Amino acid sequence: MRVLVTGGAGFIGGHLAESFAKAGHDVTVLDNLDPYYDTGIKERTVELGRAAAAESDGAYALLEGDVRDATLVDELVGDADVVYHQAAQAGVRTSVDNPRKPNSINVDGTLDVLDAARETDLERVVLASSSSVYGKPEYLPYDEDHPTTPVSPYGVSKLAAEQYARVYHEVYGLPTVSLRYFTVYGPRMRPNMAISNFVSRCLNGKPPVVYGDGTQTRDFTYIDDVVGVNRQLLADDSADGEIVNVGSTDTIDVRTLAALVRDEIDPSLGLEYAERRTGDAEHTHADVSKARELLGYEPSTSIREGVSRFIDWYRRNRHWYEPLVLDS
């Protein structure tokens, strides 16, 4: 199949593009290589995508450009069978500092993709959404019917994007699926995330820093589980028009997570605490019943197993990854 991955040099998009190329598909990546974090990580991701295509019958092409370039998006979407729309301005704290940038990229960019797609006979558009759309929990775990009251501009932008996708399905008949990811982590993850920060500091003999009192809980989802459900959607139309949670169902509080990383690397270290950051959600916990029913989704990696895998990967790739993490 011809697969377009917007934001395909980023963390999740990069893993998707690599997986599709490895499976023999023809992959086009659209990415503006925004230096939101060190682009060396994105360059390594692109290298792995090209290597995956070289080892299979697939193809991999990177086109540097922006999803807000409607003419370019029209051209690329018109040549695709399936679009995975991963391009976004990520980061809750970034959105608090500058709410207009995530709105421009996450909302206007999504509209460019959807407008281009409704003029074609695409199999589907798969949109990356986020658990940040839920905001303050009225109950846990979150199911897809839980009220959406985001507590950050980032969450608002993701909610708007997924609602546009839903409406384009209902009004124009465009096959869309929005996946609400719950804190995805794994190899080549963004360096300013909790797990990568904890691991980097501990390997350098520094205690992990917990923002707030550490009682905040997170549903961390390992990247392999996210790739699996996206691959399912290459040919599965059972979730068309739907918004679906993708999480691990396995929660952990941030203080326990920091201690887990610390104990695996250097139990002699303590924990440090700093002021909680504005816009951070108090709790996340996914109910994945809908994904299980529609797509047979079964998260396979517990947080403890996933953290251990990430630490192993980090140690093997420390020579190139760590300098980029420390610079970010």
Side-chain angles (χ1 to χ4, degrees), residues 4 6 30 32 65-80 83-88 101-120 122 125 127 157 160-162 164-165 168 172 174 176:
L4 171 64
T6 71
L30 173 65
N32 66 357
D66 198 295
V67 290
R68 292 168 293 180
D69 181 340
T71 301
L72 175 61
V73 170
D74 277 345
E75 178 183 341
L76 296 178
V77 170
D79 287 337
V83 174
Y84 286 86
H85 181 42
Q86 300 289 319
K101 186 176 181 183
N103 185 78
S104 173
I105 298 171
N106 302 355
V107 181
D108 293 342
T110 297
L111 281 171
D112 284 344
V113 171
L114 295 174
D115 276 337
R118 72 185 176 98
E119 301 299 331
T120 72
L122 273 173
V125 176
L127 176 74
S157 71
E162 70 174 31
Y164 271 120
Y168 271 58
Y172 304 114
L174 177 65
T176 65

Side-chain angles (χ1 to χ4, degrees), residues 6-312:
T6 71
F11 169 44
I12 298 176
H15 279 274
L16 295 182
E18 180 184 357
S19 174
F20 297 146
K22 188 178 295 183
H25 300 291
D26 292 340
V27 178
T28 299
V29 166
L30 173 65
D31 202 294
N32 66 357
L33 302 180
D34 187 333
Y36 170 57
Y37 58 89
D38 198 301
T39 57
I41 298 174
K42 297 180 180 182
E43 291 164 4
R44 181 59 174 260
T45 292
V46 170
E47 290 174 5
L48 291 170
R50 288 173 173 152
E55 295 172 0
S56 73
D57 293 330
Y60 180 100
L62 169 67
L63 187 60
E64 190 171 349
D66 198 295
V67 290
R68 292 168 293 180
D69 181 340
T71 301
L72 175 61
V73 170
D74 277 345
E75 178 183 341
L76 296 178
V77 170
D79 287 337
D81 297 314
V82 181
V83 174
Y84 286 86
H85 181 42
Q86 300 289 319
Q89 174 57 63
V92 166
R93 290 182 289 277
T94 298
S95 77
V96 171
D97 294 336
N98 179 10
R100 288 188 176 273
K101 186 176 181 183
N103 185 78
S104 173
I105 298 171
N106 302 355
V107 181
D108 293 342
T110 297
L111 281 171
D112 284 344
V113 171
L114 295 174
D115 276 337
R118 72 185 176 98
E119 301 299 331
T120 72
D121 58 353
L122 273 173
E123 294 289 331
R124 115 185 0 88
V125 176
V126 182
L127 176 74
S129 187
S130 167
S131 61
S132 294
V133 304
Y134 289 116
K136 298 178 180 179
E138 295 189 6
Y139 58 85
L140 291 171
Y142 292 119
D143 58 30
E144 290 83 356
D145 294 325
H146 187 285
T148 48
T149 52
V151 295
S152 68
Y154 171 74
V156 172
S157 71
K158 282 296 190 179
L159 180 59
E162 70 174 31
Q163 291 301 313
Y164 271 120
R166 178 187 60 80
V167 167
Y168 271 58
H169 173 75
E170 294 181 1
V171 175
Y172 304 114
L174 177 65
T176 65
V177 182
S178 293
L179 301 180
R180 286 178 178 166
Y181 298 140
F182 282 70
T183 317
V184 186
Y185 70 103
R188 307 195 307 275
M189 67 188 296
R190 273 194 0 245
N192 59 346
M193 302 293 284
I195 292 175
S196 51
N197 275 337
F198 292 164
V199 173
S200 175
R201 287 184 63 85
C202 289
L203 284 172
N204 285 281
K206 300 176 182 179
V209 176
V210 175
Y211 293 94
D213 62 7
T215 59
Q216 313 95 297
T217 59
R218 293 289 180 270
D219 188 330
F220 288 96
T221 312
Y222 195 65
I223 185 63
D224 289 0
D225 289 328
V226 170
V227 170
V229 72
N230 277 280
R231 289 184 65 170
Q232 177 79 13
L233 288 167
L234 270 174
D236 192 331
D237 64 2
S238 57
D240 284 357
E242 300 291 342
I243 297 168
V244 182
N245 285 341
V246 177
S248 72
T249 75
D250 181 24
T251 62
I252 189 170
D253 65 75
V254 176
R255 181 173 53 199
T256 300
L257 173 65
L260 178 69
V261 171
R262 186 256 334 257
D263 291 346
E264 182 156 339
I265 295 173
D266 185 351
S268 69
L269 297 171
L271 300 180
E272 287 187 6
Y273 292 86
E275 185 178 352
R276 186 172 173 180
R277 291 172 166 174
T278 304
D280 281 350
E282 186 70 29
H283 302 289
T284 66
H285 187 191
D287 180 336
V288 298
S289 301
K290 186 174 182 179
R292 183 179 294 118
E293 178 183 351
L294 293 177
L295 299 168
Y297 174 69
E298 289 293 346
S300 61
T301 309
S302 71
I303 181 62
R304 286 158 181 80
E305 180 185 357
V307 164
S308 182
R309 284 191 200 174
F310 179 71
I311 292 172
D312 288 344

